[in-house]
Amino acid sequence: MITRQTLLAWCDDMLQPYLFKDYAPNGLQVEGAENIKKVVTAVTASHAAITYAADSGADMLLVHHGMFWKNELQTITGWKKQRIATLLKHEINMVGYHLPLDAHSELGNNARLAARMGWITERQCGEQNLLNIGCLNQSQTLADLAVQLEKQLGRIPVVVGDVEKKISKLAWCTGGAQGFFQTAINEGVDVFVTGEISEAQYHLANETGIAFISAGHHATERYGIMALGEAIEKEFGVQIDFFDEQNPA
């Protein structure tokens, strides 16, 4: 068992949220019990994840996507009231780390996706250094890369481009990073991998010859929060339980 403040201080020291300009608060978002014996990790602080944490007796829900997003209504009504009411009733601390967990060189979503896929990271660039540039450990076709992503992530990706094209250099950013596609194009990569696709990326891929893969927002962002939980378990010995919601987006 550790105190809430001890765990938060360790997370802040590890992820350094003060370095990022983010769209939501990082760290403690809803206060619960002071002492932490069990932590549930999840991609998003959905009501399903909160309910799972409550049913499993967790003292903290640690997520990548928390609440209180920029430009969101500030009133506590409807779905937001239901989430917060459940957290307060069960004295569950809700803690979220967004961009700091994307970018971390060891525990981050981008780093963990690369590790699962066997990609070699060369450098970070773009907005807040969130875009990763690297290469495959061996040349393969776009079709081969899509099959490997499906096998690792358990989701059929959306692929735009010549599936027979040989791929060696790639850029990636997990989640909703389709807006980074032009930056990836400027870097001269063969393919850009992210979680989501919008209408415009279809045309950009076809017109530039740079392939685009949307592998799922949730699917590409499971592994950072899992790695953070595993690091906490190793450091403090508290019980960690990962809740994997079946989100197709």
Side-chain angles (χ1 to χ4, degrees), residues 117-133:
M117 294 296 295
W119 299 341
I120 300 166
T121 304
E122 296 175 346
R123 58 190 174 87
Q124 288 78 40
C125 64
E127 181 185 339
Q128 302 190 76
N129 285 327
L130 290 167
L131 182 66
N132 285 241
I133 307 295

Side-chain angles (χ1 to χ4, degrees), residues 2 14 16 27 29 35 38 55 73 88 96 108 121 126 142 144 150 153 156-157 189 194 206 218:
I2 58 172
M14 177 68 70
Q16 299 182 307
Q29 296 186 7
N35 294 316
K38 181 174 182 179
D55 290 345
L73 283 176
L88 294 176
T121 304
L142 182 61
D144 292 334
E150 180 181 353
L153 304 184
I156 299 173
V189 300
T194 187
N206 284 330
H218 176 90

Side-chain angles (χ1 to χ4, degrees), residues 13-59:
D13 183 60
M14 177 68 70
L15 300 176
Q16 299 182 307
Y18 56 85
L19 296 178
F20 296 86
K21 183 180 179 181
D22 215 330
Y23 318 105
N26 286 294
L28 183 65
Q29 296 186 7
V30 178
E31 185 177 305
E34 182 178 353
N35 294 316
I36 310 297
K37 292 182 288 186
K38 181 174 182 179
V39 178
V40 166
T41 59
V43 174
T44 299
S46 65
H47 194 263
I50 293 168
T51 300
Y52 180 88
D55 290 345
S56 62
D59 308 295

Side-chain angles (χ1 to χ4, degrees), residues 123-127 129-133 169 171-172 177-189 192 204 210:
R123 58 190 174 87
Q124 288 78 40
C125 64
E127 181 185 339
N129 285 327
L130 290 167
L131 182 66
N132 285 241
I133 307 295
K169 186 176 182 181
W172 68 95
Q178 60 267 53
F180 289 174
F181 190 27
Q182 184 60 60
T183 304
I185 292 169
N186 296 343
E187 291 290 331
V189 300
F192 176 54
L204 278 177
I210 307 302

Side-chain angles (χ1 to χ4, degrees), residues 142-143 145-147 149-150 153-163 178 181 191-199 201-203 205-206 210-217 219-220 248-249:
L142 182 61
L145 179 59
V147 169
L149 279 164
E150 180 181 353
L153 304 184
R155 182 186 188 278
I156 299 173
V158 175
V159 180
V160 184
D162 178 5
V163 295
Q178 60 267 53
F181 190 27
V191 62
F192 176 54
V193 180
T194 187
E196 296 187 20
I197 185 170
S198 298
E199 193 268 350
Q201 283 82 55
Y202 170 82
H203 303 290
N206 284 330
I210 307 302
F212 186 100
I213 295 182
S214 165
H217 194 139
T220 58

